[in-house]
Amino acid sequence: MSWTQPADLCAQVQRWWDRGELLAALVTGEALYPRRLVLKTPNSADLSDHFEAVRNWIAALRTLTWCRIEWRQVSHRVLGSNAVPQTAWVDDLNAALGAIGRKQEAGQFTALLTLTRQHQPSLLPWLAKRPLRALELAEAWPCLLSIVGWLQAHPRPGIYLRQVDLPGVDSKFIETHRSVLSEWLDLALPSISVEAGCTGVAQFAARYGFRDKPARVRFRPLDDGLIMLPGATRPDITLDADSFAALDLPVRRVFITENEINFLAFPDMPGSLVIFGAGYGWDAHAGAKWLNRCTVHYWGDIDTHGFAILDQLRSRFAHVESLLMDGATLHAHQSAWGKEPNPVRHDLPRLTDQEKVIYDQLRDNDIQVDLRLEQEKVGFAWLQTALGKL
């Protein structure tokens, strides 16, 4: 039978809860009650053909104490006059919560609401929008509010997260809750205290004026004549971005490779060094203006992401040349072809004409579906030959 059963009525109230509507109304003051439930009832034919089932259905609805049933009289030529449920209503929040066993959670939410109204009323719109998320954060709520208050009192503090001194709060706690704190701080802080250009949890510190661990660049000289550290031959060096930018070395040529073993095994080249690439994002290299006077070669995978990284690198250094990212290298290593997960599909405006041909073939699956040649699968002799031609 398609008639609405008591469990169906509870399920409707559960959906109100799952959408956050019941708790959100506590914040906004929206009048939800009395609220009508969807009630599918027997028709006249059902009374004739399934009278006993209809009686049992009515009896089950009569047992419900949390909703109010309105009845209608139905006159039947054989069965006479019978009272049949017509509509069902939830008259208040307490009844709705009782139907789905959520009174305890609602009490917890009310406590969070009271605390927020007292200390951070600017966060009430967030609380109305994400009440169930608030319940998930209930244990951490007082500490989260204290962080917001601390930043209001110390805008753009210029210290590390580790230096925030609040009871129950350490850097790990802040890092764990960066996502929700970002949503809160955008509401609670004046715009002058928020660096709008820094987005995402990875840029949390920069967005709200904390110091962040410095970006680092790892590189190796490829020539014994490039003395970088006293007494060290071919050192593997990692510098913060500012120190790397301040280098003043007699370097003519720079290679960038994304694979660590390729970085460590890169062949000797006079007046050259090799950088261990960072994939997407070249902020750590952007300040190194001395790279503009060097010939820079980028060696990435021959796949759509490899070309996308090259395109992004050229947004920082337009003169970058690709290395071993050509059709000859691709087809000479057919036995090493693999599949690329989640290929890039958008246009890359900074590719050369030859690079664009390869990229379009990869993007459009003209050679093989999701084709990929990883740089570490290119023969070492092939690399040496290419370097010899430079």
Side-chain angles (χ1 to χ4, degrees):
M1 306 301 176
S2 62
W3 319 323
T4 301
Q5 302 298 321
D8 300 325
L9 296 175
C10 285
Q12 292 181 50
V13 180
Q14 182 64 47
R15 285 194 289 275
W16 299 346
W17 173 272
D18 293 340
R19 292 195 296 261
E21 297 172 3
L22 301 184
L23 296 181
L26 293 174
V27 184
T28 63
E30 180 184 1
L32 296 181
Y33 310 98
R35 191 167 185 179
R36 186 171 180 168
L37 294 159
V38 175
L39 184 65
K40 297 179 181 178
T41 61
N43 56 32
S44 181
D46 291 331
L47 287 171
S48 298
D49 300 339
H50 308 287
F51 183 71
E52 192 61 30
V54 171
R55 282 181 46 180
N56 292 336
W57 176 76
I58 292 173
L61 290 184
R62 286 187 184 277
T63 65
L64 297 179
T65 59
W66 58 269
C67 68
R68 171 170 52 87
I69 305 294
E70 291 183 349
W71 303 81
R72 63 187 176 94
Q73 289 298 126
V74 176
S75 297
H76 194 277
R77 59 185 178 81
V78 175
L79 302 173
S81 180
N82 292 273
V84 177
Q86 176 175 264
T87 55
W89 298 85
V90 178
D91 284 331
D92 54 48
L93 175 62
N94 193 56
L97 296 172
I100 55 176
R102 298 289 188 174
K103 290 185 178 181
Q104 182 176 349
E105 289 96 327
Q108 189 178 37
F109 181 81
T110 300
L112 299 180
L113 174 58
T114 300
L115 199 61
T116 306
R117 279 198 173 118
Q118 290 174 348
H119 297 283
Q120 293 295 337
S122 62
L123 301 182
L124 292 177
W126 185 95
L127 201 56
K129 184 179 179 180
R130 306 193 64 187
L132 298 184
R133 177 63 175 142
L135 286 177
E136 294 172 0
L137 295 166
E139 186 175 344
W141 202 263
C143 289
L144 292 171
L145 290 177
S146 71
I147 294 170
V148 175
W150 187 90
L151 269 167
Q152 288 171 329
H154 306 85
R156 305 201 65 78
I159 62 174
Y160 289 106
L161 295 178
R162 177 68 179 86
Q163 296 172 272
V164 177
D165 197 5
L166 289 169
V169 174
D170 54 32
S171 57
K172 186 174 181 180
F173 178 89
I174 298 175
E175 288 168 356
T176 299
H177 295 93
R178 283 178 299 178
S179 179
V180 66
L181 281 171
S182 293
E183 296 173 5
W184 286 19
L185 293 170
D186 285 353
L187 291 172
L189 295 179
S191 59
I192 196 173
S193 298
V194 179
E195 182 58 58
C198 298
T199 59
V201 294
Q203 294 188 299
F204 176 88
R207 185 172 179 84
Y208 302 108
F210 289 98
R211 295 184 67 183
D212 205 355
K213 59 183 179 182
R216 297 184 178 276
V217 181
R218 182 180 175 188
F219 62 98
R220 293 176 53 244
L222 301 174
D223 181 350
D224 288 339
L226 292 174
I227 306 301
M228 298 189 179
L229 293 174
T233 303
R234 307 292 182 89
D236 184 342
I237 302 172
T238 300
L239 292 178
D240 63 89
D242 289 342
S243 297
F244 181 74
L247 287 177
D248 185 15
L249 300 171
V251 175
R252 300 193 305 273
R253 198 180 297 272
V254 172
F255 299 90
I256 302 174
T257 180
E258 298 288 341
N259 178 269
E260 186 174 25
I261 296 301
N262 283 344
F263 164 77
L264 294 171
F266 207 91
D268 295 350
M269 287 290 289
S272 302
L273 61 79
V274 60
I275 295 174
F276 185 29
Y280 289 104
W282 297 96
D283 291 345
H285 308 74
K289 303 304 182 185
W290 57 269
L291 287 174
N292 289 306
R293 60 174 169 78
C294 302
T295 301
V296 180
H297 302 271
Y298 175 78
W299 181 19
D301 297 333
I302 302 181
D303 63 8
T304 61
H305 281 280
F307 283 108
I309 295 170
L310 171 62
D311 180 83
Q312 187 184 73
L313 175 58
R314 283 190 178 135
S315 71
R316 301 288 192 179
F317 302 99
H319 66 297
V320 170
E321 301 175 14
S322 60
L323 176 68
L324 299 180
M325 298 177 70
D326 52 75
T329 301
L330 177 63
H331 291 288
H333 295 81
Q334 185 171 352
S335 62
W337 287 359
K339 290 184 71 68
E340 178 185 23
N342 306 314
V344 172
R345 301 298 184 196
H346 58 268
D347 291 336
L348 302 176
R350 302 178 188 90
L351 299 185
T352 66
D353 291 342
Q354 290 182 334
E355 292 163 353
K356 189 175 185 302
V357 168
I358 303 297
Y359 173 69
D360 286 344
Q361 289 176 335
L362 296 171
R363 176 177 62 169
D364 300 336
N365 297 318
D366 290 343
I367 305 173
Q368 177 179 297
V369 175
D370 298 340
L371 174 59
R372 178 188 200 185
L373 175 62
E374 296 175 89
Q375 59 195 271
E376 60 266 36
K377 295 183 179 180
V378 173
F380 197 73
W382 189 272
L383 168 62
Q384 290 176 309
T385 299
L387 294 178
K389 294 177 180 179
L390 293 179

